[in-house]
Amino acid sequence: MPMGSPSSPVIADIIMEELLKKFEQESVNKPRLLTKVIPEWIRNTTSIQIPTDIQWLLSLGPKHALPIDNKEFPLFKEIADGENYIQTIKDKEKQEMERNNLTTLPRDHLNKKTTSVRDKFISDTLRSAKLFLKNHKELLILNAEKGNVTVLMDKSEYDIKMQTIVNDISTYKVLKRDPTNRLQDKNNELVEKMFSNKIIDVKEKNALLCKTANPPRIYGLPKIHKEGNPLRPICSSVNSPSNNLCKYDVKILKNVTMSSVYNVKDAIEFKNKIKDTYVYDDESLVSFDVVSLFPSIPVDLALEIIASKWEDIKEYTYMSKELFLTVRSGMPMGSPSSPVIADIIMEELLKKFEQESVNKPRLLTKIGELN
C-alpha cells in the first residue's frame, strides 16, 4: 500500500500514537503535553495566578467536548438523541445511512481499549482544574458577552455588579409575591383556547402546556470590550411559564422579519454592502447602540406595531388577530421572543425616521435578530 494513499494519515496517526506511548513509558522525565494559551480566548480579571494548563483548558470554552470514560458513556442518551435527529431527516435513504452511523459510533467508542495521550492529558488537567476551583471558591468562570471568551471574575465583584443592576428602580421593581403560578395558569388557559379553536393539535398542546414552572433567572455576562468589565444582564426563561409558547410565537413572527430592508446578518455582510460606497468629506459613517433595548420597549408599543403588521402575520398562523394579540400580551418581554419583537420594532422606527427625516442618510442598516 503506497504511503500516498488515502489510508496514510490513519497509519501515521497509529504509528505516532505507539511511539508516544513508548516514549512516555521509558522516559524518566515525562513531559506534559504542549499547551499554548491563546490570550484572546481567556481573560483573568482577578489577582489570582492560574496555572497555565488550567488556563488552557478553560480557554477551550464550555462547548468543548471532553473525553468520556467508557464507564461514563451515556449510551441510552446518545441513542435517543441520535434517533431524534434522524427523525428530522426527510429522505428515507439518508435516514438509514445515518442510523447505521449511529450504531457504529457508540460501538467503536465502547470497544476502544486505550486512551490517547491527548485525552489522558485533558482528563488529568480537568481533575486539576476541579481541585483548583474547589480551593478558590471566590473565583467565577463566566462567558464574555461577545467573542466566545472565557472570563475569570471575583465572585464578590460579580455580586456587587449584579446588585447594582437589579437595584435600578427605573428598570426593575420589587414584587410583593411570586407571579409564577399565576402566569403558568394564564399560559395553560391560552394553550387550551388554541386547542379548542383547532389551531394546534394534541401533540402541540402537550408541548405548550406548563406543569412545573420556575421563575426566570437573571445572570450577567462581562463586557470585556468596555472599561471596568460591566455586566450585561441576561434573563433565562428556561422552564418559565410561557417559555414554550414564546418559542411557538417566535416561529410565526420570524417570517415578518425576512423581508427587512435594513437588516444585515453580520460584519461580513455589512462590509459587502458598503464596499462600493464612497464616504465624502462632509459625511460620516456612524454606529449607534441602544442601551437596555429589551427592558426599554413598552408593551403597548410592541402590541401596536404587531397589530399593524397583521396582514403579513396572518399568512403564517390560524389564530385570529384578537387571539394572537392576547397570546402576545400574555408574554414577558424578557423571553425567547424578545429579539424578534425588538427587531420588528426597530424596523418600524427606522422606516418612520426615513419618512420624516429632512436629511435622509444614504445608507441605513441594522443587525438583524438582536440578542
Side-chain angles (χ1 to χ4, degrees):
M1 188 178 295
M3 284 307 296
S5 72
S7 61
S8 296
V10 177
I11 293 171
D13 193 37
I14 293 172
I15 292 172
M16 286 304 298
E17 186 73 23
E18 288 303 311
L19 289 173
L20 286 172
K21 276 185 194 173
K22 189 174 181 181
F23 173 73
E24 195 173 36
Q25 289 167 359
E26 298 176 358
S27 177
V28 177
N29 298 313
K30 294 185 173 80
R32 302 214 35 139
L33 192 68
L34 181 62
T35 56
K36 182 181 178 183
V37 178
I38 309 296
E40 292 79 12
W41 291 2
I42 187 166
R43 176 75 64 86
N44 184 5
T45 66
T46 74
S47 58
I48 301 172
Q49 295 296 316
I50 315 295
T52 303
D53 55 348
I54 294 177
Q55 284 190 59
W56 172 79
L57 183 70
L58 295 175
S59 72
L60 299 179
K63 293 183 180 179
H64 183 79
L66 294 170
I68 301 176
D69 186 84
N70 285 1
K71 295 177 182 178
E72 300 173 350
F73 187 71
L75 179 61
F76 295 111
K77 184 178 185 301
E78 290 295 316
I79 293 173
D81 290 347
E83 186 59 34
N84 284 340
Y85 160 70
I86 288 169
Q87 293 301 324
T88 65
I89 301 173
K90 295 180 180 180
D91 186 276
K92 294 295 180 183
E93 186 176 341
K94 191 175 179 182
Q95 262 193 6
E96 288 307 309
M97 289 173 61
E98 292 298 331
R99 192 169 281 114
N100 288 334
N101 291 335
L102 178 62
T103 58
T104 302
L105 290 173
R107 185 183 63 207
D108 289 347
H109 179 85
L110 294 172
N111 290 336
K112 189 171 67 172
K113 302 298 182 184
T114 59
T115 303
S116 70
V117 174
R118 181 181 174 82
D119 283 0
K120 186 176 184 302
F121 173 76
I122 292 177
S123 297
D124 290 344
T125 307
L126 179 61
R127 282 190 288 271
S128 300
K130 286 180 177 179
L131 181 61
F132 182 86
L133 294 175
K134 184 179 180 181
N135 294 331
H136 293 82
K137 296 186 184 296
E138 73 278 22
L139 194 62
L140 282 182
I141 311 298
L142 306 167
N143 291 328
E145 182 212 11
K146 295 177 181 177
N148 294 324
V149 180
T150 301
V151 181
L152 289 79
M153 180 177 283
D154 192 279
K155 188 176 185 299
S156 60
E157 180 188 357
Y158 176 86
D159 289 343
I160 291 171
K161 289 180 177 181
M162 284 304 301
Q163 284 296 331
T164 302
I165 291 171
V166 297
N167 288 338
D168 180 5
I169 59 174
S170 65
T171 305
Y172 304 100
K173 66 178 180 179
V174 178
L175 300 179
K176 293 181 179 179
R177 61 178 63 182
D178 185 353
T180 304
N181 290 335
R182 177 175 58 81
L183 293 173
Q184 176 176 291
D185 292 340
K186 187 171 185 178
N187 175 84
N188 293 344
E189 181 184 329
L190 289 169
V191 173
E192 291 288 355
K193 193 169 185 179
M194 291 166 66
F195 177 69
S196 63
N197 288 341
K198 298 182 178 180
I199 296 166
I200 56 176
D201 57 27
V202 176
K203 186 178 179 181
E204 289 175 309
K205 170 190 164 183
N206 291 333
L208 297 177
L209 285 173
C210 185
K211 303 289 175 60
T212 54
N214 293 319
R217 295 168 298 284
I218 193 170
Y219 63 94
L221 298 180
K223 299 181 179 181
I224 57 173
H225 58 288
K226 293 190 176 181
E227 187 178 352
N229 303 315
L231 298 179
R232 177 189 178 186
I234 304 292
C235 189
S236 171
S237 295
V238 177
N239 295 328
S240 63
S242 60
N243 187 53
N244 290 333
L245 191 55
C246 282
K247 290 179 179 178
Y248 178 90
D249 189 54
V250 166
K251 290 180 182 178
I252 298 170
L253 290 175
K254 264 190 173 182
N255 295 287
V256 180
T257 66
M258 296 295 187
S259 58
S260 168
V261 295
Y262 302 109
N263 280 359
V264 289
K265 183 175 64 177
D266 50 32
I268 295 174
E269 186 176 338
F270 176 70
K271 173 177 171 281
N272 292 333
K273 193 167 186 174
I274 66 168
K275 66 180 181 180
D276 296 324
T277 302
Y278 182 81
V279 180
Y280 294 94
D281 292 340
D282 60 343
E283 294 179 322
S284 298
L285 184 64
V286 296
S287 172
F288 296 100
D289 187 19
V290 181
V291 178
S292 300
L293 176 59
F294 296 166
S296 302
I297 297 175
V299 175
D300 291 342
L301 175 63
L303 291 173
E304 179 186 333
I305 291 177
I306 290 172
S308 70
K309 290 185 168 292
W310 180 247
E311 289 302 311
D312 297 324
I313 296 172
K314 72 178 183 180
E315 300 295 324
Y316 306 100
T317 179
Y318 292 110
M319 276 189 266
S320 65
K321 181 178 181 179
E322 292 71 27
L323 179 57
F324 187 82
L325 293 177
T326 302
V327 171
R328 182 62 255 153
S329 64
M331 297 179 187
M333 279 308 298
S335 70
S337 60
S338 296
V340 70
I341 294 289
D343 198 21
I344 291 171
I345 289 174
M346 289 300 296
E347 184 84 7
E348 286 302 302
L349 291 177
L350 289 177
K351 278 184 185 176
K352 190 173 182 180
F353 168 74
E354 278 207 306
Q355 290 168 358
E356 298 178 0
S357 177
V358 177
N359 299 312
K360 294 183 176 65
R362 284 199 291 129
L363 180 66
L364 190 62
T365 64
K366 68 180 174 67
I367 298 293
E369 279 298 300
L370 298 164
N371 47 41

